[in-house]
Amino acid sequence: MLLDKLNNKKSYLCSLMEKRVRVRFAPSPTGGLHMGGVRTALFNYLFAKKHGGDFILRIEDTDQTRFVKGAEEYIIEALKWCGIEPNEGVGFGDGPHKPYRQSERKELGIYKKYADKLIASGHAYYAFDTEEELNDMRKRLEAAKVVAPQYNAVTRQNMRNSTTLGEDEVKKLLADGTKYVVRLKVPRNEEIRFNDIIRGWVTVNSAQVDDKVLLKSDGMPTYHLAHIVDDIEMEISHAVRGEEWLPSAPAHILIYRYLGLEEQMPKLAHLPLILNPDGNGKISKREARFPVFPLSWQDPRETAPYIGYKESGYYPEAFVNILALLGWNPGNNEEIFSVAELAELFSFERVHKSGAKFDPEKAKWFNQQYLRKQSDADLAKAFKPLLKEKGYEKDEAFMIDFCKLVKEKVQFVHEFWDHGKYIFEAPTSYDEKVITKKWNAQSKEVFTKVLETFKSVSDWKMQPIHDAFEALVKETGKIDMQLLRVLITGVAGGPQLFDMIALIEKEEVLKRLEAALSKL
RNA sequence: GGCCCGUUCGUCUAGGGGUUAGGACACGUCCCUUUCACGGAUGAAACACGGGUUCGAUUCCCGUACGGGCUACCA
């Protein structure tokens, strides 16, 4: 009991002394940022906001062979559109730890310093093996039925590196400018344990970890070295990244340890992946029948662009809301949250361990919820240019009435056209099903009367039109409204009938009715 | 193959040793409605399987199955 109290007090004090929350999103500019990446950025952002910390954008461009022009700019624009802006880093005003691009940091010799330290302490070594030699090694191991060939404590003994070569030979090779990489010297058999905020304790034996390359032969650090050096130097408190990094986390623990930085190591949080809705695996941009990028992305190596969420008509708030609820939820039945509300509610304790399949249908529903929050005037303003593209221009009052009428049927602004085009365009054909079912010998006479009645309406507004129609119904008996709808619009569905008729000009309605009567 | 991580309705999920296992999307039915919707109500729909532990397990443990990730001088 007393011990519990002491422990509580201790952990309370510890939490007070905990370092400032500083998290980073660290994509590599190898293509457009896809929705999985956005969600990783989002969770980082929410966590930073929740704790009044910093959110940093770091560009991890250490692989020069995969660098894609425009990718970095795309990442910055995408984050801006989503409203999850870093307060430090590339594109968002450099901060005290600049530069934030790893290629630039490499020029400053930042990474080499750490690699040298590891070599000096015997935890890393030079490896001179050529690509062919590495391939031969793997082939040899495969032939010997080794299931997972890797450069490790055993195989390194048969390779050309500073653990097998004499000191003089190594010196000579280095002096000659021989190409080399620096590898981490992973122990042969050692339990590595770490505590992941989301997954709890994870244990891996070092035998499963290969001697990771730290410094490539072009002098660039690999991700493994670079992100650790930068996380330390940028005082990152929590490393929040995708689940795909979980298997290499033990190697990272080792690097921190050998650098004597285990105490300053950021806490780890590995996020579950976003999976394909149908089939298996993580979302692939090629096969997806829904957008995978926040903004349209034109890959310079491909011809056709990938259409983004923005261009598909999604509100950024809806897009972010969807992403937030993939792998996390606040624990109640609510689903619609602003970014500010999400930041208030967010915690890693409520992040799932398992991957979530993305449901494009539900995504549309989310957008609909946000669309309904818009005012009719805002919707009118948003739809006006789309209508103009179709060749129609209307005044603001009309647009507002139109949006008010069609609003309940749409999930996206562009759907105002799909669901409301009948108002602008006369039918070219009439719904077969409705006609065969409902058009009969008396119809022509009845609708001729409707035509006459409409002609007599002088104040062309919904109520007078409706009143006149009702008066006619009293006189003639029931008149099928769906049939009337089809005669005017050609289709069985659509917005409220009399509101719609009022929105179409009187002359046009009469013209359409006359045309229908002559054709049927 | 090996290693790691996971598994509640079709999907996203709540819950958690004793519950009629809750909500949302999608789907069905009904109500409202002379049209079309919205809305409301309602229905069908889940604890992967097998062993433990326990008075009792969907919940804890162990296996199996299944899914995912990783297995590069890519991140």
Side-chain angles (χ1 to χ4, degrees):
Chain A
M1 194 64 178
L2 189 67
L3 203 65
D4 280 354
K5 268 191 179 166
L6 278 171
N7 277 335
N8 278 341
K9 192 157 191 183
K10 193 179 156 203
S11 69
Y12 175 68
L13 285 171
C14 282
S15 72
L16 278 183
M17 296 189 299
E18 259 173 34
K19 56 184 171 185
R20 176 180 175 80
V21 167
R22 282 174 60 78
V23 292
R24 78 311 197 255
F25 178 54
S28 59
T30 53
L33 177 65
H34 66 87
M35 55 195 293
V38 175
R39 204 218 22 193
T40 301
L42 174 64
F43 283 11
N44 272 288
Y45 172 90
L46 295 177
F47 186 69
K49 283 285 166 228
K50 164 104 183 192
H51 296 283
D54 299 316
F55 175 45
I56 295 142
L57 177 65
R58 187 171 71 216
I59 297 294
E60 308 217 325
D61 55 347
T62 54
D63 187 350
Q64 295 169 325
T65 64
R66 292 207 310 157
F67 179 84
V68 171
K69 203 162 172 285
E72 181 183 300
E73 292 75 9
Y74 179 93
I75 291 164
I76 292 165
E77 287 312 307
L79 291 177
K80 282 182 181 167
W81 181 70
C82 293
I84 45 180
E85 299 197 17
N87 57 304
E88 188 177 324
V90 177
F92 294 93
D94 282 349
H97 299 283
K98 71 179 178 186
Y100 291 82
R101 223 176 258 115
Q102 288 184 330
S103 58
E104 292 172 29
R105 298 174 68 74
K106 178 252 177 187
E107 292 305 315
L108 265 26
I110 293 173
Y111 306 110
K112 183 149 194 317
K113 229 168 43 196
Y114 285 82
D116 286 345
K117 196 175 167 196
L118 286 168
I119 293 169
S121 65
H123 291 297
Y125 59 90
Y126 298 104
F128 301 97
D129 316 280
T130 63
E131 203 179 328
E132 293 73 43
E133 287 169 330
L134 288 170
N135 286 337
D136 287 348
M137 181 264 280
R138 290 191 189 105
K139 270 185 206 150
R140 246 190 350 263
L141 289 173
E142 268 162 33
K145 298 240 160 53
V146 174
V147 285
Q150 55 179 21
Y151 207 115
N152 61 21
V154 177
T155 53
R156 87 166 78 97
Q157 295 171 28
N158 300 315
M159 305 300 286
R160 297 201 310 125
N161 55 57
S162 58
T163 70
T164 58
L165 270 22
E167 204 177 311
D168 292 341
E169 195 176 353
V170 171
K171 270 186 188 154
K172 185 174 183 304
L173 283 167
L174 291 175
D176 289 350
T178 313
K179 289 265 180 198
Y180 69 89
V181 300
V182 174
R183 284 181 182 271
L184 181 67
K185 196 170 170 186
V186 176
R188 179 163 185 179
N189 177 19
E190 194 176 291
E191 290 287 306
I192 306 167
R193 232 162 91 81
F194 63 96
N195 199 352
D196 185 281
I197 301 174
I198 294 168
R199 280 145 213 285
W201 286 101
V202 177
T203 309
V204 181
N205 190 288
S206 64
Q208 304 302 328
V209 182
D210 66 337
D211 284 1
K212 295 232 177 301
V213 170
L214 266 20
L215 232 43
K216 302 186 238 185
S217 56
D218 63 0
M220 276 284 188
T222 59
Y223 169 83
H224 305 293
L225 206 225
H227 93 274
I228 285 173
V229 169
D230 289 342
D231 281 355
I232 287 294
E233 297 221 334
M234 295 179 181
E235 299 177 84
I236 299 301
S237 62
H238 300 259
V240 183
R241 71 229 304 193
E243 192 183 5
E244 69 269 23
W245 292 109
L246 203 48
S248 52
H252 303 157
I253 305 283
L254 252 25
I255 298 173
Y256 281 111
R257 185 174 300 162
Y258 296 155
L259 248 15
L261 294 167
E262 218 168 351
E263 288 296 309
Q264 292 127 72
M265 185 177 97
K267 291 195 168 69
L268 298 180
H270 289 95
L271 266 21
L273 266 18
I274 300 178
L275 273 18
N276 244 342
D278 42 49
N280 305 313
K282 51 183 177 182
I283 282 176
S284 100
K285 62 179 180 182
R286 241 165 255 283
E287 291 159 41
R289 299 223 295 278
F290 52 88
V292 298
F293 293 104
L295 312 175
S296 286
W297 163 247
Q298 173 63 65
D299 193 304
R301 297 159 298 187
E302 298 175 30
T303 50
Y306 295 95
I307 303 302
Y309 278 87
K310 179 187 179 192
E311 292 76 8
S312 301
Y314 281 86
Y315 293 107
E317 295 84 357
F319 178 58
V320 166
N321 198 150
I322 295 159
L323 255 22
L325 261 51
L326 243 30
W328 173 88
N329 78 84
N332 58 32
N333 284 336
E334 287 173 56
E335 294 190 289
I336 304 299
F337 298 103
S338 67
V339 176
E341 288 167 331
L342 289 170
E344 188 59 39
L345 263 18
F346 186 79
S347 77
F348 285 119
E349 281 69 42
R350 296 205 64 89
V351 173
H352 291 170
K353 295 183 175 78
S354 52
K357 283 186 185 170
F358 174 66
D359 182 358
E361 287 308 311
K362 186 140 189 183
K364 292 178 189 168
W365 175 82
F366 270 104
N367 202 66
Q368 185 176 33
Q369 301 308 305
Y370 281 85
L371 186 142
R372 286 185 183 173
K373 288 184 175 191
Q374 305 285 314
S375 71
D376 296 330
D378 285 341
L379 290 170
K381 211 173 146 197
F383 181 56
K384 200 176 167 92
L386 301 183
L387 185 62
K388 196 176 175 184
E389 271 174 37
K390 299 290 180 186
Y392 301 96
E393 278 194 83
K394 297 283 181 182
D395 62 33
E396 197 188 345
F398 177 94
M399 292 300 291
I400 289 175
D401 284 345
F402 173 81
C403 289
K404 190 183 199 143
L405 178 60
V406 185
K407 184 179 184 177
E408 65 190 19
K409 309 182 80 79
V410 306
Q411 294 180 307
F412 299 94
V413 169
H414 60 79
E415 288 179 345
F416 274 110
W417 174 253
D418 305 318
H419 292 278
K421 60 184 168 197
Y422 328 105
I423 290 169
F424 306 98
E425 298 188 337
T428 50
S429 66
Y430 301 95
D431 186 294
E432 285 293 335
K433 269 190 196 157
V434 177
I435 295 299
T436 41
K437 195 174 159 196
K438 294 181 167 172
W439 186 263
N440 58 36
Q442 290 84 50
S443 296
K444 198 154 208 161
E445 194 191 330
V446 171
F447 283 99
T448 303
K449 280 185 184 163
V450 173
L451 174 62
E452 293 309 316
T453 304
F454 281 177
K455 269 184 187 162
S456 71
V457 176
S458 53
D459 186 17
W460 196 250
K461 297 227 168 57
M462 188 284 239
Q463 203 55 51
I465 300 168
H466 189 251
D467 291 345
F469 182 77
E470 286 301 318
L472 178 63
V473 168
K474 251 186 196 152
E475 189 187 306
T476 63
K478 190 179 159 182
I479 299 169
D480 193 290
M481 278 177 69
Q482 196 179 31
L483 202 43
L484 175 58
R485 172 186 287 281
V486 170
L487 296 192
I488 292 172
T489 69
V491 297
Q496 284 280 356
L497 186 51
F498 285 101
D499 288 293
M500 185 169 61
I501 289 172
L503 231 37
I504 305 172
E505 281 169 17
K506 181 177 175 180
E507 289 311 311
E508 174 68 10
V509 173
L510 301 182
K511 225 167 81 188
R512 290 190 194 181
L513 270 178
E514 277 163 5
L517 284 166
S518 69
K519 282 180 197 165
L520 292 165

